[in-house]
Amino acid sequence: MDLDLHILPLHRHEGQDLSDLPGLFVADASITRRASRSRKGDILVLHLALNGTATLTAEDQAQVLEAHAQAFFESSGSVTAALRTVGENLNEFLLDRNREGASRNLQATGSFTGIVFHNGQIYTAQSGPNHVFTVHAVTAQDLHDPYLAGRGLGVSRSLNIHLNHAPLDSGDLIILSTNPPMAWKAESLQKAYGRPLGTIHRVLMNAAGSDLRAVLIQVHEGKGAFKILKRDELGSQPPPAAAPAPGRAAPATRGSEPPQVPVKAAAEGREPVPGGHTPIDSSATSSLSTPIQSSKTVEPALPPRRRRNREGGQAVLAVIRAFGGAMRTFGYSLRALLTRVLPGSELFTIPPSTMAFIAVAVPILLVTVAGVVYVQRGRQGQYNRAFEKAQEVAEFAGTRTDPNEIRISWQAVLGYLDEAERFETTEESQALRIQAYASLDPLEGIERLDFQPVLLTALGENVNIIRMVATRDELYLLDEISGSVIRAWLSGRGYEIDTEFKCGSFGNTTYSIGKLIDIAALPQNNVLGADIFAMDSNGNALYCKSDGSPPVAQAVAPPASNWGDPRSFVLDSGQLYVLDPQTNAVWIYSGEQFSFINPPRLFFDEEVPEMENVIDFAVDLDDLYLLHADGHITTCTFGFAGQSTKCTDPSLYTDTRPGKENTTLVPGTQFTQLRFSPPPDPSIYLLDEVAGAVYHYSLRLTFQRQYRPLAALEGTITAFAISPGRTIFTAFGNEIYGSILP
């Protein structure tokens, strides 16, 4: 079956969606007149993402990839060998450039993906941190292996390439990306199967962050052509026809065959070379929806609802007939079998109702038994395969000396162990995990903590803790769903929930408090007698008391420009700092006894950083730390005595770990919360949602260490706090854990 490809580049940079994707090149055998016979009918997709100080322009990348694509189609032999040759040649090209530019500090590394569509199969080659998702009717896979794919091109002569292949059918999806969003999981992407391309595009982009490089490919029945689409063409793309059942011809469908036009093209939309085939352009799209003329009598069109009812009734009738025929056939076979097995004519004395029961019960019983045996053996087999891979990579890691190679290898071991322990956890897998931690943790600066549940009474299922405050003997937990605060106090047995504590939304004749957005502890013996200061998104303050008395509400004076959308606040040295990204502001309130009724002043003056995607912040006297959604930090210092406020955006993370580099982003992390810890050890702490870890940095953003649980905890980490007594608390939704810091 010949297949057509609809290819859609997905490119977003700093929040702006772009139509082209530099480094993407697509071609078929018409790219060269010397194409090998074994390459006829192949479609090649190359994607190269360059990083460093010596990257290429989009035009130069297209020329380099075109030359290597021509070499691919002129080569003979296996597809995988030809793909590997493309990767090796590109690696040599980048190595030569890096060697020439070494004296001028001009270097570049490449993340490479090569895909070939050949005879109903997809062949992939990956070098570097790439993901290729293959989405089929009932399954989906993420083809990603950091150990086998290595660090990419231009790094060393010894090149790691991860090769794979899989069958392909009409309706399948292929998604490749160098930096897929966290929400792009194989399980969730499988739900996109059979959807129109425009719908899939919208869902994928909604889950993406401010930066994305990816390619979406949808497979259709056709004649071996491809088309590179633009976003404005998505509305005209029908969903693909489902692949026919094995051994049966595909039914004729109206408009299911795009024109047979082999093409070659780059993502930039280059014109074909003389003598090449004509590309499919936007005018050809209309033929996809043009009905094919038929010599048969055309039935009159039915209204949509009647047509759906009729089609549904015919489908149900077909299923009933098929099931009835199958039962009759099985009954005849069962009757013949029992005639041979049972002596005499006793078979014919069995009542018809019993025969019907046997006809249904026996196959169900057989299938059930077979299923149980298959699941048991299948789970064991999958465990064995993943565990054996983990052992192989661990042996390889033991022979490495380069810190990056050691790090990548042991991370791959942990990945395989995670896969194995989805099916079974054994003493061997746990022992190998401990070995991996012992080898990896010193390189990563990880300290493993024995987190244990701290609450004596479980929180309800409809609770999601997003902020925490820890005093010496109390925990205050802000619930996102109710918008209220839960208090827990330390007894001799653990932390007990205070059912009398009141701190949440309420209304009276003076104030109407909405859902609270943030909380902070107040100093003891304050005039208000309150323990917790809280705010809602309308700028109303709430003072909550642990003695069971009602909270006290007070309006915080709004700025002259009024509130936009306050996200969080900080109390520092008696002043209130309020983060309002919508108005690009951090407001400073000076008040007496934590009563903030006077108008605020802006933290910034002439220099105001871009704050639209700021998600959290921290304050240390005159220094301000702004955490952005992509993980970078802006630091600002308040100006006094006629001096202007100065900001650095982005600030540099200093990383002293072996093989690590100073950078404005920490690879592999997703920071969601930022906290300042006061003396005697003033520090910045960042919550990493991906690893469920807490990163510890100095005030100059120099890496110190990271804290991770000794045993994996279920769910996503949603909040953390550190008490004055050096206990760290973490929230995983409605579960609260604690551990003593070393």
Side-chain angles (χ1 to χ4, degrees), residues 563-584:
W563 296 112
D565 183 21
R567 295 288 181 85
S568 60
F569 67 84
V570 169
L571 287 178
D572 183 73
S573 303
Q575 297 192 115
L576 172 66
Y577 298 77
V578 180
L579 171 67
D580 192 352
Q582 185 170 308
T583 60
N584 229 51

mmCIF file of all heavy atoms in Angstrom, residues 563-584:
data_model
loop_
_atom_site.group_PDB
_atom_site.id
_atom_site.type_symbol
_atom_site.label_atom_id
_atom_site.label_comp_id
_atom_site.label_asym_id
_atom_site.label_seq_id
_atom_site.Cartn_x
_atom_site.Cartn_y
_atom_site.Cartn_z
ATOM 1 N N TRP A 563 -5.235 46.964 40.047
ATOM 2 C CA TRP A 563 -4.651 45.626 39.945
ATOM 3 C C TRP A 563 -4.849 45.046 38.545
ATOM 4 O O TRP A 563 -5.849 45.333 37.880
ATOM 5 C CB TRP A 563 -5.301 44.677 40.950
ATOM 6 C CG TRP A 563 -5.076 45.031 42.391
ATOM 7 C CD1 TRP A 563 -6.000 45.463 43.297
ATOM 8 C CD2 TRP A 563 -3.832 44.974 43.096
ATOM 9 N NE1 TRP A 563 -5.429 45.689 44.511
ATOM 10 C CE2 TRP A 563 -4.082 45.385 44.426
ATOM 11 C CE3 TRP A 563 -2.538 44.627 42.741
ATOM 12 C CZ2 TRP A 563 -3.088 45.454 45.390
ATOM 13 C CZ3 TRP A 563 -1.541 44.693 43.693
ATOM 14 C CH2 TRP A 563 -1.817 45.103 44.996
ATOM 15 N N GLY A 564 -3.917 44.226 38.155
ATOM 16 C CA GLY A 564 -4.082 43.418 36.956
ATOM 17 C C GLY A 564 -4.510 42.019 37.370
ATOM 18 O O GLY A 564 -5.694 41.708 37.442
ATOM 19 N N ASP A 565 -3.517 41.185 37.679
ATOM 20 C CA ASP A 565 -3.793 39.821 38.150
ATOM 21 C C ASP A 565 -2.699 39.416 39.140
ATOM 22 O O ASP A 565 -1.752 38.719 38.772
ATOM 23 C CB ASP A 565 -3.831 38.848 36.966
ATOM 24 C CG ASP A 565 -4.184 37.429 37.391
ATOM 25 O OD1 ASP A 565 -4.779 37.263 38.485
ATOM 26 O OD2 ASP A 565 -3.870 36.483 36.647
ATOM 27 N N PRO A 566 -2.785 39.863 40.404
ATOM 28 C CA PRO A 566 -1.748 39.523 41.392
ATOM 29 C C PRO A 566 -1.586 38.009 41.513
ATOM 30 O O PRO A 566 -2.570 37.277 41.621
ATOM 31 C CB PRO A 566 -2.285 40.132 42.694
ATOM 32 C CG PRO A 566 -3.240 41.186 42.261
ATOM 33 C CD PRO A 566 -3.850 40.690 40.987
ATOM 34 N N ARG A 567 -0.325 37.541 41.511
ATOM 35 C CA ARG A 567 -0.047 36.107 41.547
ATOM 36 C C ARG A 567 0.472 35.646 42.905
ATOM 37 O O ARG A 567 0.130 34.560 43.368
ATOM 38 C CB ARG A 567 0.973 35.754 40.468
ATOM 39 C CG ARG A 567 0.484 35.973 39.055
ATOM 40 C CD ARG A 567 -0.537 34.934 38.650
ATOM 41 N NE ARG A 567 -0.983 35.129 37.292
ATOM 42 C CZ ARG A 567 -0.345 34.647 36.227
ATOM 43 N NH1 ARG A 567 0.780 33.958 36.394
ATOM 44 N NH2 ARG A 567 -0.800 34.856 35.024
ATOM 45 N N SER A 568 1.345 36.443 43.509
ATOM 46 C CA SER A 568 1.927 36.045 44.792
ATOM 47 C C SER A 568 2.478 37.284 45.478
ATOM 48 O O SER A 568 2.507 38.376 44.900
ATOM 49 C CB SER A 568 3.025 34.993 44.594
ATOM 50 O OG SER A 568 4.062 35.499 43.787
ATOM 51 N N PHE A 569 2.936 37.098 46.728
ATOM 52 C CA PHE A 569 3.496 38.219 47.471
ATOM 53 C C PHE A 569 4.595 37.701 48.380
ATOM 54 O O PHE A 569 4.733 36.495 48.611
ATOM 55 C CB PHE A 569 2.414 38.942 48.283
ATOM 56 C CG PHE A 569 1.840 38.119 49.402
ATOM 57 C CD1 PHE A 569 2.475 38.044 50.642
ATOM 58 C CD2 PHE A 569 0.656 37.422 49.238
ATOM 59 C CE1 PHE A 569 1.959 37.275 51.673
ATOM 60 C CE2 PHE A 569 0.132 36.650 50.259
ATOM 61 C CZ PHE A 569 0.789 36.573 51.480
ATOM 62 N N VAL A 570 5.380 38.648 48.906
ATOM 63 C CA VAL A 570 6.452 38.341 49.846
ATOM 64 C C VAL A 570 6.414 39.374 50.957
ATOM 65 O O VAL A 570 6.263 40.581 50.688
ATOM 66 C CB VAL A 570 7.836 38.366 49.161
ATOM 67 C CG1 VAL A 570 8.957 38.308 50.194
ATOM 68 C CG2 VAL A 570 7.975 37.204 48.188
ATOM 69 N N LEU A 571 6.542 38.932 52.207
ATOM 70 C CA LEU A 571 6.755 39.824 53.342
ATOM 71 C C LEU A 571 8.234 39.804 53.683
ATOM 72 O O LEU A 571 8.809 38.742 53.947
ATOM 73 C CB LEU A 571 5.941 39.365 54.556
ATOM 74 C CG LEU A 571 4.428 39.577 54.521
ATOM 75 C CD1 LEU A 571 3.791 39.021 55.779
ATOM 76 C CD2 LEU A 571 4.088 41.054 54.355
ATOM 77 N N ASP A 572 8.861 40.998 53.667
ATOM 78 C CA ASP A 572 10.294 41.068 53.958
ATOM 79 C C ASP A 572 10.575 42.367 54.705
ATOM 80 O O ASP A 572 10.277 43.458 54.200
ATOM 81 C CB ASP A 572 11.118 41.015 52.669
ATOM 82 C CG ASP A 572 12.607 41.009 52.933
ATOM 83 O OD1 ASP A 572 13.119 39.973 53.393
ATOM 84 O OD2 ASP A 572 13.251 42.055 52.690
ATOM 85 N N SER A 573 11.137 42.240 55.913
ATOM 86 C CA SER A 573 11.517 43.397 56.734
ATOM 87 C C SER A 573 10.345 44.343 56.940
ATOM 88 O O SER A 573 10.495 45.577 56.890
ATOM 89 C CB SER A 573 12.698 44.152 56.097
ATOM 90 O OG SER A 573 13.804 43.285 55.918
ATOM 91 N N GLY A 574 9.162 43.779 57.141
ATOM 92 C CA GLY A 574 7.979 44.579 57.419
ATOM 93 C C GLY A 574 7.324 45.180 56.203
ATOM 94 O O GLY A 574 6.297 45.858 56.318
ATOM 95 N N GLN A 575 7.879 44.957 55.013
ATOM 96 C CA GLN A 575 7.288 45.476 53.790
ATOM 97 C C GLN A 575 6.604 44.351 53.012
ATOM 98 O O GLN A 575 7.003 43.183 53.099
ATOM 99 C CB GLN A 575 8.353 46.143 52.919
ATOM 100 C CG GLN A 575 9.001 47.353 53.568
ATOM 101 C CD GLN A 575 9.837 48.150 52.587
ATOM 102 O OE1 GLN A 575 9.535 49.299 52.272
ATOM 103 N NE2 GLN A 575 10.895 47.549 52.097
ATOM 104 N N LEU A 576 5.599 44.745 52.250
ATOM 105 C CA LEU A 576 4.846 43.805 51.420
ATOM 106 C C LEU A 576 5.197 44.046 49.960
ATOM 107 O O LEU A 576 5.091 45.172 49.451
ATOM 108 C CB LEU A 576 3.334 43.997 51.633
ATOM 109 C CG LEU A 576 2.410 43.213 50.704
ATOM 110 C CD1 LEU A 576 2.528 41.710 50.952
ATOM 111 C CD2 LEU A 576 0.955 43.669 50.868
ATOM 112 N N TYR A 577 5.629 42.970 49.271
ATOM 113 C CA TYR A 577 5.925 43.017 47.843
ATOM 114 C C TYR A 577 4.881 42.159 47.128
ATOM 115 O O TYR A 577 4.702 40.980 47.470
ATOM 116 C CB TYR A 577 7.316 42.469 47.553
ATOM 117 C CG TYR A 577 8.447 43.247 48.201
ATOM 118 C CD1 TYR A 577 8.735 43.102 49.553
ATOM 119 C CD2 TYR A 577 9.234 44.116 47.451
ATOM 120 C CE1 TYR A 577 9.767 43.799 50.148
ATOM 121 C CE2 TYR A 577 10.279 44.825 48.030
ATOM 122 C CZ TYR A 577 10.536 44.660 49.387
ATOM 123 O OH TYR A 577 11.565 45.358 49.969
ATOM 124 N N VAL A 578 4.218 42.736 46.140
ATOM 125 C CA VAL A 578 3.159 42.026 45.418
ATOM 126 C C VAL A 578 3.559 41.905 43.945
ATOM 127 O O VAL A 578 3.881 42.910 43.293
ATOM 128 C CB VAL A 578 1.805 42.747 45.540
ATOM 129 C CG1 VAL A 578 0.726 41.971 44.778
ATOM 130 C CG2 VAL A 578 1.404 42.903 46.997
ATOM 131 N N LEU A 579 3.521 40.674 43.437
ATOM 132 C CA LEU A 579 3.852 40.395 42.037
ATOM 133 C C LEU A 579 2.580 40.458 41.198
ATOM 134 O O LEU A 579 1.615 39.736 41.463
ATOM 135 C CB LEU A 579 4.490 39.012 41.915
ATOM 136 C CG LEU A 579 4.709 38.463 40.499
ATOM 137 C CD1 LEU A 579 5.752 39.289 39.762
ATOM 138 C CD2 LEU A 579 5.110 36.994 40.541
ATOM 139 N N ASP A 580 2.589 41.323 40.162
ATOM 140 C CA ASP A 580 1.441 41.465 39.257
ATOM 141 C C ASP A 580 1.960 41.444 37.817
ATOM 142 O O ASP A 580 2.175 42.489 37.194
ATOM 143 C CB ASP A 580 0.701 42.771 39.542
ATOM 144 C CG ASP A 580 -0.649 42.843 38.837
ATOM 145 O OD1 ASP A 580 -0.932 41.951 38.008
ATOM 146 O OD2 ASP A 580 -1.432 43.774 39.111
ATOM 147 N N PRO A 581 2.193 40.242 37.250
ATOM 148 C CA PRO A 581 2.779 40.168 35.900
ATOM 149 C C PRO A 581 1.932 40.832 34.827
ATOM 150 O O PRO A 581 2.474 41.324 33.835
ATOM 151 C CB PRO A 581 2.887 38.648 35.658
ATOM 152 C CG PRO A 581 2.827 38.023 37.004
ATOM 153 C CD PRO A 581 1.960 38.907 37.823
ATOM 154 N N GLN A 582 0.634 40.837 35.004
ATOM 155 C CA GLN A 582 -0.236 41.392 33.963
ATOM 156 C C GLN A 582 0.041 42.877 33.741
ATOM 157 O O GLN A 582 -0.046 43.372 32.617
ATOM 158 C CB GLN A 582 -1.704 41.167 34.333
ATOM 159 C CG GLN A 582 -2.678 41.601 33.245
ATOM 160 C CD GLN A 582 -4.094 41.154 33.540
ATOM 161 O OE1 GLN A 582 -4.349 39.988 33.806
ATOM 162 N NE2 GLN A 582 -5.029 42.082 33.522
ATOM 163 N N THR A 583 0.383 43.600 34.811
ATOM 164 C CA THR A 583 0.714 45.024 34.675
ATOM 165 C C THR A 583 2.219 45.255 34.669
ATOM 166 O O THR A 583 2.669 46.395 34.784
ATOM 167 C CB THR A 583 0.076 45.828 35.818
ATOM 168 O OG1 THR A 583 0.572 45.331 37.076
ATOM 169 C CG2 THR A 583 -1.438 45.708 35.798
ATOM 170 N N ASN A 584 3.006 44.181 34.548
ATOM 171 C CA ASN A 584 4.472 44.270 34.505
ATOM 172 C C ASN A 584 5.020 44.990 35.740
ATOM 173 O O ASN A 584 5.843 45.903 35.641
ATOM 174 C CB ASN A 584 4.921 45.004 33.240
ATOM 175 C CG ASN A 584 6.010 44.259 32.493
ATOM 176 O OD1 ASN A 584 5.858 43.074 32.228
ATOM 177 N ND2 ASN A 584 7.087 44.932 32.169
#
